[in-house]
């Protein structure tokens, strides 16, 4: 699926960045600017042979999760590897970023990326990756080119579990027991 000349654009098809427009720019002109950036920054890196293995919407969905689950670009390929590991193992992804997206799409939510609370893991939404297997139905954000590259080039890792500590450092483990031990080490309790 690629952006076309009609509004609105689909989720995940806005390349992040600053867009400069002149006063009086029409919606169609603004959309062309957005489409051109998406084509140059994202689609130009996405070959037809890649599309045969990982469809564009799937790549954008994984990249959007990576974008929201990482603190910076340094961890993107590792998070990508963990997401792919979970998908290949038929595990639920259990990603807080997808819960934030589900919560933010409710009329009662005051912020776009609300804090995830323990009860949110039971939220009835197709974006709740704690209760639904596989990827969410659409991207949850507009991923950067770096996140798309990471989605298509995951780091080979045995890790299945991860978290960021209070300073933003990523910790991962290949077992749930190892994950809980790391959580206890950094936070004093299991999650």
């Amino acid at each position: 699926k690629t952006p076309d000349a009609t509004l609105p654009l689909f989720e995940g098809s806005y390349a992040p960045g600053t867009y400069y427009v002149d006063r009086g720019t029409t919606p169609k002109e603004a959309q062309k600017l957005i489409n051109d950036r998406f084509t140059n920054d994202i689609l130009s890196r996405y070959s037809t042979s890649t599309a045969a293995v990982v469809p564009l919407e799937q790549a954008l969905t994984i990249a959007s999760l990576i974008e929201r689950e990482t603190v910076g670009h340094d961890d993107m390929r590792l998070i990508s590897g963990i997401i792919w590991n979970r998908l290949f193992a038929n595990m639920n992804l259990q990603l807080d970023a997808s819960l934030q997206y589900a919560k933010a799409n409710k009329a009662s939510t005051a912020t776009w990326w609300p804090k995830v609370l323990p009860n949110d893991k039971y939220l009835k939404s197709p974006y709740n990756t704690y209760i639904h297997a596989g990827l969410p139905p659409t991207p949850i954000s507009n991923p950067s080119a770096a996140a798309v590259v990471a989605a298509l080039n995951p780091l080979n890792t045995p890790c299945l579990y991860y978290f960021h500590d209070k300073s933003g450092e990523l910790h991962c483990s290949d077992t749930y027991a190892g994950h809980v031990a790391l959580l206890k080490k950094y936070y004093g309790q299991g999650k």
Side-chain angles (χ1 to χ4, degrees), residues 154-170:
L155 191 65
N156 186 7
T157 178
C159 291
L160 289 170
Y161 304 93
Y162 69 95
F163 67 93
H164 291 91
D165 64 23
K166 292 176 185 173
S167 65
E169 186 177 342
L170 180 71

Side-chain angles (χ1 to χ4, degrees), residues 5 12 24 41 46 53 57 65 80 91 97 117 120 139 158 179 182 184 188:
D41 290 0
Y46 193 78
V53 178
E57 186 145 346
L65 295 167
S80 178
M91 290 176 61
L117 304 172
D120 294 334
H179 177 65
L182 284 171
K184 286 180 180 178

Side-chain angles (χ1 to χ4, degrees):
K1 189 172 183 181
T2 59
D4 60 22
T6 61
L7 291 172
L9 297 173
F10 65 92
E11 188 85 64
S13 69
Y14 298 79
T18 303
Y19 292 84
Y20 296 98
V21 295
D22 294 323
R23 187 178 300 236
T25 299
T26 68
K28 292 284 185 197
E29 292 167 336
Q31 183 177 353
K32 181 177 179 348
L33 186 67
I34 293 168
N35 287 350
D36 289 349
R37 170 100 41 100
F38 183 78
T39 298
N40 292 334
D41 290 0
I42 307 298
L43 292 181
S44 67
R45 302 167 191 259
Y46 193 78
S47 69
T48 54
S49 60
T50 302
V53 178
V54 183
L56 179 61
E57 186 145 346
Q58 183 181 25
L60 291 175
T61 300
I62 293 170
S64 73
L65 295 167
I66 293 166
E67 190 75 44
R68 293 295 307 148
E69 285 285 320
T70 55
V71 175
H73 290 196
D74 293 342
D75 296 331
M76 286 185 167
R77 289 190 62 223
L78 178 57
I79 297 292
S80 178
I82 294 168
I83 289 171
W84 281 107
N85 285 350
R86 289 178 181 182
L87 288 170
F88 291 142
N90 293 316
M91 290 176 61
N92 286 6
L93 293 179
Q94 299 184 345
L95 301 176
D96 286 356
S98 65
L99 288 179
Q100 285 181 305
Y101 184 83
K103 283 180 72 170
N105 277 296
K106 296 177 100 182
S108 61
T109 304
T111 62
W112 182 246
W113 294 110
K115 182 178 180 178
V116 173
L117 304 172
N119 277 349
D120 294 334
K121 294 175 182 174
Y122 305 102
L123 185 68
K124 290 186 185 336
S125 168
Y127 291 90
N128 183 346
T129 57
Y130 281 85
I131 60 174
H132 295 291
L135 293 172
T138 67
I140 63 164
S141 69
N142 293 296
S144 63
V148 174
V149 169
L152 298 172
N153 298 281
L155 191 65
N156 186 7
T157 178
C159 291
L160 289 170
Y161 304 93
Y162 69 95
F163 67 93
H164 291 91
D165 64 23
K166 292 176 185 173
S167 65
E169 186 177 342
L170 180 71
H171 302 276
C172 73
S173 177
D174 56 346
T175 66
Y176 185 70
H179 177 65
V180 170
L182 284 171
L183 283 169
K184 286 180 180 178
K185 176 181 176 182
Y186 286 92
Y187 290 102
Q189 60 186 354
K191 194 171 185 179

